[in-house]
Amino acid sequence: VSHLEATKGSLKGGTYLIIHGEGFSDDQYNKPNKVFLKNEKTGVIVGCKVVITDSTEHRIACETMAEPNFEDGATYSVKVKVGLDFLNDDKEGTFCGGKCIFQYKDDNTPKIYHISPNAALPGETIRIDGRLLTRQISRDQQDIFDPNNAEINKIFVGNDLCEPFDKDTKEFLGSGNDGEYEDWWRMKWVKCQPVIKSVGSHVVSLLTSKEGGRSYRPPSSFFLGAGDKRYNFQTFADITSIQPSAGSRNGGTKIAISGNFFGTDKTKVKVTVGGSDCKILSVTPDLIECLTSPVDTQAESKSLKP
């Protein structure tokens, strides 16, 4: 191993570590390259997931895992295994002249503090505020993009992407720092449109390049949902019309609810009318049909609640 690209990175992992040298395997399937990070103090081993499509006999690319104890400044030596054999890191002149060192740093960890709005229809633009570590969002920003500087590689809502360009106009949705300074780490917000088409509770995160990595979300940025599930953003369905608008208190009225993002799974849809369940008959992404149940005969006219 001659040298590393990225000698420090995010406490949450996701740093794209590139190991340069020679003698690595060019057959990742039959004689795989493997990379491990070993804590210099505790001896704890952390994996680094090899990117097969970006590895050759002269370089290995891998994505770091999170620092187990979230310890700022934790120092790890890089260990490389080719097939069944570890490369010798004791021999003088190998492994960066003795050792290749990688550090987990708080300063290299992107942080997300706030999502606005924190609930919206799928596909609606959201704004992410935090310490994002870079001004660059996409290589499509050709007039200002510098390949030598870090960029936000991807933004996620759950496991789906959140795109920084409008899906219709293809225009950049915007970013900024809202501050007095122009330091690289003070770019505080970016807008994006979630690709996700389902409703539910999600975690928003992002990934930066170079010596950045996966974002961290302070506990104060989360909400607590059903089953103690943590989330910082929700998507919800949209009702456009209900037919008919009135029916018998004794139930038995078939209701058609039109809208968007209902999904297709009947088990995940619940409708109540006047506090009583409306039995689900069918569900499509834009239509729910259900059969009303009897309601309190003393109650006034009550609204439907999806």
Side-chain angles (χ1 to χ4, degrees):
V1 175
S2 59
H3 67 283
L4 304 180
E5 280 186 50
T7 57
K8 52 189 175 181
S10 172
L11 289 164
K12 293 293 289 183
T15 304
Y16 204 74
L17 175 61
I18 300 177
I19 303 165
H20 293 272
E22 58 184 32
F24 307 143
S25 173
D26 60 357
D27 184 356
Q28 186 65 27
Y29 296 97
N30 296 311
K31 189 180 180 182
N33 299 303
K34 294 184 179 181
V35 180
F36 305 90
L37 305 180
K38 182 178 180 181
N39 190 297
E40 291 287 280
K41 291 183 179 180
T42 66
V44 169
I45 302 292
V46 178
C48 192
K49 185 178 180 181
V50 172
V51 181
I52 297 175
T53 55
D54 196 20
S55 298
T56 69
E57 64 267 35
H58 298 294
R59 62 178 264 161
I60 301 172
C62 66
E63 185 176 306
T64 62
M65 301 292 105
E67 209 292 314
N69 298 311
F70 211 69
E71 179 187 349
D72 183 26
T75 301
Y76 286 73
S77 56
V78 178
K79 306 291 184 182
V80 177
K81 189 176 184 181
V82 179
L84 299 176
D85 301 317
F86 277 100
L87 296 187
N88 183 4
D89 61 348
D90 296 323
K91 184 178 178 181
E92 186 176 353
T94 64
F95 274 74
C96 311
K99 284 185 179 178
C100 292
I101 298 298
F102 179 86
Q103 267 195 324
Y104 287 93
K105 298 287 290 181
D106 180 75
D107 285 346
N108 294 75
T109 305
K111 294 183 179 180
I112 293 176
Y113 298 128
H114 182 65
I115 310 295
S116 58
N118 55 36
L121 292 170
E124 287 192 347
T125 300
I126 62 173
R127 170 171 156 159
I128 302 168
D129 284 75
R131 188 186 71 179
L132 306 184
L133 300 185
T134 175
R135 299 174 186 170
Q136 302 190 135
I137 313 300
S138 170
R139 292 174 184 264
D140 289 336
Q141 297 175 281
Q142 296 178 0
D143 55 333
I144 61 172
F145 187 83
D146 183 351
N148 295 315
N149 294 331
E151 64 178 303
I152 295 179
N153 280 337
K154 293 179 180 178
I155 307 173
F156 297 95
V157 173
N159 294 321
D160 293 281
L161 292 175
C162 194
E163 298 289 358
F165 294 88
D166 186 273
K167 61 180 180 296
D168 297 319
T169 67
K170 309 304 179 185
E171 293 182 355
F172 181 59
L173 294 169
S175 65
N177 62 17
D178 290 350
E180 178 182 354
Y181 303 99
E182 292 293 329
D183 300 280
W184 62 273
W185 62 273
R186 283 187 176 270
M187 203 280 281
K188 291 180 61 178
W189 62 268
V190 61
K191 292 182 178 180
C192 63
Q193 290 179 344
V195 174
I196 192 168
K197 297 298 182 184
S198 60
V199 299
S201 301
H202 316 283
V203 172
V204 176
S205 61
L206 56 83
L207 198 66
T208 63
S209 66
K210 302 294 183 182
E211 293 187 330
R214 193 170 293 109
S215 60
Y216 168 69
R217 301 167 300 276
S220 60
S221 70
F222 282 103
F223 302 97
L224 200 60
D228 291 336
K229 179 182 178 181
R230 298 197 307 167
Y231 67 93
N232 56 8
F233 177 67
Q234 284 186 318
T235 48
F236 53 80
D238 181 33
I239 294 177
T240 56
S241 68
I242 301 167
Q243 294 292 333
S245 59
S248 171
R249 291 182 183 274
N250 292 324
T253 303
K254 183 179 178 180
I255 296 177
I257 307 165
S258 299
N260 298 289
F261 310 113
F262 296 148
T264 58
D265 188 347
K266 291 170 58 175
T267 65
K268 294 183 178 180
V269 176
K270 181 178 181 179
V271 176
T272 61
V273 178
S276 298
D277 288 341
C278 192
K279 182 181 179 181
I280 304 298
L281 301 176
S282 64
V283 178
T284 67
D286 56 9
L287 180 67
I288 298 172
E289 292 184 322
C290 66
L291 196 66
T292 62
S293 301
V295 296
D296 183 359
T297 57
Q298 302 300 316
E300 297 296 328
S301 177
K302 295 185 178 180
S303 61
L304 178 146
K305 296 181 180 179

